[in-house]
Amino acid sequence: MANENNVTELIFTGLFQDPEVQKLCFVLFLPVYMATLLGNGLIVVAVSISKTLHSPMYFFLSSLSLVEICYSSTIVPKFITDLLAEVKTISLKGCLAQIFFSHFLGVAEILLLVVMACDRYVAICKPLHYMNIMSRQVCHMLVGGSWLGGFIHSIIQIVITIPLPFCGPNVIDHYFCDLQPLFKLACTDTFMEGVVVMANSGLISIISLFILVSSYAIILINLRKHSAEGRRKALSTCVSHITVVILFFGPATFIYLRPSSSFTEDKLVSVFYTVITPMLNPIIYTLRNAEVKNAMKKLLNILI
C-alpha cells in the first residue's frame, strides 16, 4: 500500500462522554496539574539554592522533579483543555510529537529511578566511599545518561511509527496519543512494528526492574549488620523512593502488560500515572524527608 497519509487530524474519544462529568474532571484535574508544577518546581528551586541539599541524593531528586514537570506538561494541558471541548482533535504531527516526548520523558524517569536506587545502595552499603563514587562528575553523567537513554528509546519508537500510512478512520479511543491506539488506525499490518515497540519498552522495563529489585534486596541484606537505629535511618531514606517506584511501575504495568482494550478502567489507570503520580512524588519526598521539608518551608517564606 502506498505510504501516503489521508489523515492529517485525529479525534480523541476522551475519558468520559458525559459533558457534565467532563466539566467535573476539569475542576478536579486543573488544580492537580497546578499542584504538580508548584510542588516539583519548589523542589527544583529548593535543591538549587539550599546549602543543606547539595548531596547526590537531592541532585537526583531535583532531576526527577524536572522530568515530572516536563512529562506532565506533555499530556495534561491538552487533556484538561479537551475536557471543555465538544470535539477533541489533534494533528497527526502533534500526535507524533506527544508520543515522542511522553516516551522520551517516561523512560528518562525510569532510568532516574534506577539511578536513585543505585545511589541508595552506595550510600548504605559503601558509606565510606560514597562521596568518591558519587562524585559531582559521576552524578551529572548519570543524569545525562538517563536523558540520553530516554531520547534513544523514543527515537526508535517514533522512527518505526512515522512511515506508517494513515488513511482512516481517525478516531483514537483514548485521551492522549500513544503507540498502540495509533497503530490501530494504520491502514496496514502493524504486527512487526508492535513487536519491536513492545520489545524496546519491555527490555528497558525488565532491566530497570531487575536493577531496582536487586539494589533493594542487597540493601536489606546489608542492613542486617546495622544496629536498630542504623536500620531505621537507612530505611527512612529508601521508603520514599520505593513508594514512588511502586506508584510509577504499578499502573504502567497494569496498562502495558494487559491485552489491548477500550475499557474505561484502563483510561482511569492511565490518568493515575499521567496526572496524579507526578503530583504525589513531591508530597511523598517532602513528608518523608525533614531536610527537604525545611528547605521548602524556607523557600515558601521567602516567596511569600
Side-chain angles (χ1 to χ4, degrees):
M1 182 172 290
N3 222 14
E4 297 179 357
N5 289 333
N6 297 326
V7 173
T8 58
E9 189 176 69
L10 302 169
I11 300 173
F12 294 129
T13 59
L15 188 60
F16 298 108
Q17 302 302 314
D18 189 330
E20 295 303 317
V21 175
Q22 292 188 72
K23 291 177 183 177
L24 177 61
C25 289
F26 177 85
V27 173
L28 291 174
F29 292 142
L30 179 59
V32 170
Y33 177 61
M34 299 305 293
T36 298
L37 299 182
L38 177 62
N40 286 289
L42 285 173
I43 286 181
V44 172
V45 175
V47 171
S48 300
I49 67 175
S50 175
K51 296 179 180 178
T52 61
L53 302 180
H54 283 172
S55 70
M57 178 175 70
Y58 298 119
F59 174 67
F60 295 138
L61 174 58
S62 173
S63 301
L64 180 67
S65 291
L66 180 59
V67 170
E68 293 283 25
I69 291 172
C70 297
Y71 176 75
S72 183
S73 297
T74 299
I75 296 172
V76 180
K78 171 66 175 167
F79 166 53
I80 291 175
T81 55
D82 278 349
L83 289 170
L84 300 180
E86 290 186 14
V87 181
K88 305 163 182 45
T89 61
I90 187 171
S91 67
L92 180 59
K93 290 181 180 179
C95 182
L96 292 171
Q98 191 176 65
I99 290 172
F100 173 80
F101 284 106
S102 62
H103 279 258
F104 169 31
L105 296 162
V107 170
E109 180 171 355
I110 290 174
L111 297 179
L112 270 174
L113 291 172
V114 171
V115 167
M116 293 173 77
C118 294
D119 172 71
R120 290 301 83 207
Y121 160 76
V122 176
I124 293 170
C125 300
K126 301 180 182 295
L128 297 179
H129 304 284
Y130 177 65
M131 294 311 298
N132 289 329
I133 296 173
M134 304 303 292
S135 65
R136 181 179 293 272
Q137 183 180 7
V138 169
C139 290
H140 282 90
M141 288 177 61
L142 289 172
V143 170
S146 299
W147 286 86
L148 179 61
F151 180 77
I152 293 172
H153 161 81
S154 196
I155 282 290
I156 294 172
Q157 306 290 68
I158 211 70
V159 164
I160 291 170
T161 307
I162 286 176
L164 293 175
F166 297 95
C167 46
N170 67 334
V171 178
I172 293 183
D173 188 17
H174 218 309
Y175 63 87
F176 70 96
C177 281
D178 206 357
L179 288 168
Q180 292 304 329
L182 186 62
F183 281 176
K184 291 180 180 180
L185 304 185
C187 44
T188 186
D189 182 22
T190 58
F191 175 77
M192 286 307 301
E193 286 84 355
V195 169
V196 174
V197 162
M198 290 302 294
N200 186 16
S201 299
L203 187 63
I204 292 173
S205 299
I206 290 170
I207 293 174
S208 299
L209 273 174
F210 176 77
I211 296 173
L212 285 164
V213 172
S214 299
S215 297
Y216 280 105
I218 296 171
I219 287 172
L220 290 174
I221 293 170
N222 187 272
L223 285 178
R224 292 188 299 179
K225 304 173 186 177
H226 290 60
S227 64
E229 180 65 16
R231 284 196 296 269
R232 187 191 66 78
K233 289 182 178 179
L235 286 173
S236 68
T237 65
C238 299
V239 169
S240 298
H241 183 254
I242 293 173
T243 304
V244 169
V245 167
I246 292 171
L247 287 174
F248 183 87
F249 277 95
T253 301
F254 177 85
I255 292 295
Y256 290 105
L257 293 188
R258 291 183 61 189
S260 60
S261 69
S262 58
F263 296 153
T264 301
E265 56 264 30
D266 286 7
K267 298 179 187 178
L268 291 174
V269 174
S270 297
V271 167
F272 188 82
Y273 74 82
T274 57
V275 182
I276 307 299
T277 299
M279 178 196 69
L280 293 177
N281 289 353
I283 296 174
I284 292 167
Y285 279 108
T286 303
L287 291 177
R288 297 289 310 182
N289 191 298
E291 289 182 324
V292 175
K293 190 185 300 184
N294 292 333
M296 290 183 70
K297 283 181 179 177
K298 291 179 181 178
L299 179 59
L300 285 172
N301 289 334
I302 294 173
L303 295 175
I304 296 173

